């Protein structure tokens, strides 16, 4: 599994999800699995701001993540 903790507030990132979809945006916060409610998946996630929308990706849904300029 990819270590998303290196990307918290790191600037612009490109994420490719497990379906092959690409998303580019400003990395925001990491949500630790211990902060999740019982109704959510018990897993870390990263949120990015892309096209004016906040999108969260669970760690297991990320095929690749990289910092871009």
């Amino acid at each position: 599994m990819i270590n998303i903790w290196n990307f918290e507030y790191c600037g612009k990132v490109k994420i490719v999800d497990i379906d092959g979809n690409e998303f580019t945006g400003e990395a925001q916060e990491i949500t630790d699995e211990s902060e999740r409610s019982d109704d959510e998946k018990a897993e870390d996630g990263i949120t990015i701001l892309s096209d004016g929308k906040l999108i969260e990706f669970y760690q297991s849904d990320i095929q690749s993540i990289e910092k871009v300029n």
Side-chain angles (χ1 to χ4, degrees):
M1 208 173 309
I2 293 174
N3 181 3
I4 59 175
W5 287 95
N6 296 331
F7 297 95
E8 185 172 39
Y9 295 109
C10 76
K12 193 173 185 179
V13 294
K14 179 174 86 172
I15 293 177
V16 178
D17 70 14
I18 57 174
D19 294 323
N21 300 309
E22 291 185 12
F23 301 85
T24 303
E26 291 294 318
Q28 304 292 305
E29 69 182 358
I30 303 287
T31 303
D32 186 87
E33 70 176 80
S34 66
E35 300 174 276
R36 302 266 182 211
S37 73
D38 292 339
D39 296 330
E40 295 178 284
K41 191 187 277 188
E43 190 174 319
D44 295 344
I46 186 169
T47 300
I48 66 169
L49 179 61
S50 179
D51 295 327
K53 298 177 195 168
L54 292 172
I55 306 170
E56 183 178 23
F57 297 89
Y58 286 108
Q59 208 168 7
S60 65
D61 292 331
I62 300 172
Q63 180 178 318
S64 66
I65 182 171
E66 64 181 285
K67 184 167 173 32
V68 295
N69 295 327

